[in-house]
Amino acid sequence: MEPIAKPLNTILQHSAAKGWQGFVWMLKIILPVSFITFLLDYSGWLVSMDGLLEPLMGAIHLPAMAALPLLAGLLTGIYGAIAAMSVLPFTVDQMTLIAVFLLIAHSLIQEGLVQHQSGCPAWMATAVRLVAAVLTVALVGWIIGPEPSQNLSGAPTVPTQVAFWPAMKGWAAAMAWLSLKILFIITALMIFMEILNQYRLVEKLMRFIEPFLGLLGLDRHVGMLWMTAAVFGITYGSAVIVAEARERGLSPEQLKPLHVSIGINHAMIEDPSLFLPLGIHPFWLWIPRLVAAVVFTHAYLLWGWVKKRRRPIAVSTASVDGR
């Protein structure tokens, strides 16, 4: 019998190589997007766009100043949005609606590229998340009541402008720490995946979550990709998601419903927990986007079924007209 140490050593070496490749690929996305966003934020351009989004803010029961954390979240992610929320005088209900929106739609450029590389066009992934965020927040705002949309008294506090080079050093330090975190998580994910494949644990794990996948409207073959996104998110799990989507040879019919689901509902542990210190009730952080993911995935499947049902009719009609 071959000793365990040898295959485990092989697993670690192979995983480290794949983790590094995925890390380099991620940096090509994260660094340019983050730096451009830093320049936009430093220049004040993001703040100047508040007025342009005021009509939309009213439609989703939020004041105009909510545009700043929403824009920060859409472009940079949850961390940037929470940083903006923490310095503005929002009520708990208003922060609840902002959180629901951002948990569904954040880091759209970065995560849209990941989804594009793993089987779903970026425009589709982004459009689904934006529509889901708007509709879900509109419904949650209607349930909570009219209070969130009331204007806040006073103007938001404008932070003192920091000199460019100190600000850029702060951005570089934050990105260095984030990059190390991503490298660690990607490598750990690759090791986890290799161990599952080496010891044939994938099949056992899939049998456990298959009933849940059916409720979500997903094919059983995308179980590992769904679990990776649900636990680690699209950004941290990107290397695994892209690699598995290519290596397993999954079809668009399997991948697109998956991306509808994970686009709306991913990083189910970390992202909602970040909003808990703001005093938001856990129900609103976990339940609305899970329900939205189920509804939108089944709606996408229904739309695909209707398209298939109509196609033979159109072909049959064309053949009759040709005769």
Side-chain angles (χ1 to χ4, degrees):
M1 176 182 286
E2 189 177 7
I4 296 296
K6 187 174 181 179
L8 182 59
N9 185 52
T10 302
I11 288 172
L12 293 176
Q13 290 179 357
H14 188 226
S15 302
K18 291 181 69 175
W20 178 257
Q21 290 174 2
F23 172 68
V24 172
W25 178 81
M26 274 302 304
L27 286 185
K28 292 178 181 178
I29 298 175
I30 292 176
L31 291 180
V33 171
S34 178
F35 184 65
I36 291 172
T37 305
F38 160 74
L39 293 178
L40 292 175
D41 186 28
Y42 183 84
S43 67
W45 186 80
L46 292 179
V47 178
S48 68
M49 284 194 65
D50 281 9
L52 298 177
L53 295 180
E54 187 171 359
L56 177 59
M57 295 302 98
I60 57 177
H61 311 282
L62 286 170
M65 74 168 67
L68 179 58
L70 291 184
L71 282 171
L74 290 172
L75 293 174
T76 65
I78 298 293
Y79 293 99
I82 291 178
M85 291 170 65
S86 64
V87 298
L88 297 174
F90 293 116
T91 66
V92 173
D93 285 345
Q94 289 165 344
M95 287 190 292
T96 297
L97 296 185
I98 295 172
V100 170
F101 187 102
L102 290 173
L103 284 170
I104 296 174
H106 58 265
S107 303
L108 291 182
I109 299 175
Q110 179 176 310
E111 294 184 349
L113 291 174
V114 173
Q115 292 187 272
H116 186 83
Q117 291 288 333
S118 54
C120 182
W123 70 265
M124 174 183 167
T126 301
V128 167
R129 294 178 69 179
L130 285 173
V131 172
V134 171
L135 294 181
T136 304
V137 170
L139 179 59
V140 172
W142 176 78
I143 295 173
I144 290 177
E147 186 273 340
S149 62
Q150 295 175 355
N151 290 326
L152 299 172
S153 59
T157 304
V158 179
T160 304
Q161 182 77 333
V162 182
F164 178 77
W165 288 113
M168 187 170 177
K169 288 180 180 178
W171 169 82
M175 285 307 304
W177 172 244
L178 179 62
S179 298
L180 288 175
K181 188 177 179 182
I182 290 174
L183 176 61
F184 173 79
I185 292 177
I186 286 178
T187 304
L189 278 170
M190 289 299 181
I191 294 173
F192 176 67
M193 292 292 297
E194 287 293 326
I195 290 175
L196 288 179
N197 291 328
Q198 177 75 18
Y199 297 103
R200 302 181 183 277
L201 299 176
V202 175
E203 293 80 2
K204 296 179 181 179
L205 200 57
M206 290 306 99
R207 285 198 295 270
F208 177 76
I209 68 173
E210 272 180 12
F212 184 59
L213 291 175
L215 293 175
L216 290 176
L218 301 177
D219 186 277
R220 65 184 183 88
H221 294 97
V222 302
M224 182 57 64
L225 281 78
W226 177 85
M227 187 174 64
T228 299
V231 176
F232 297 99
I234 294 176
T235 298
Y236 293 143
S238 61
V240 173
I241 293 172
V242 173
E244 285 294 302
R246 292 175 177 174
E247 291 175 6
R248 291 179 180 270
L250 299 171
S251 67
E253 289 75 17
Q254 294 170 311
L255 288 172
K256 287 184 179 179
L258 167 72
H259 282 291
V260 171
S261 179
I262 66 175
I264 295 172
N265 186 38
H266 59 269
M268 296 174 65
I269 299 173
E270 179 183 3
D271 285 358
S273 301
L274 296 173
F275 289 99
L276 288 175
L278 299 178
I280 301 172
H281 195 283
F283 175 86
W284 301 114
L285 296 176
W286 270 274
I287 302 303
R289 69 171 181 159
L290 175 60
V291 174
V294 173
V295 170
F296 271 76
T297 302
H298 282 281
Y300 176 79
L301 293 173
L302 178 61
W303 175 67
W305 179 81
V306 170
K307 283 180 64 179
K308 287 182 179 179
R309 294 279 294 180
R310 294 180 61 184
R311 192 173 300 143
I313 298 176
V315 173
S316 176
T317 303
S319 62
V320 172
D321 292 341
R323 279 192 312 208

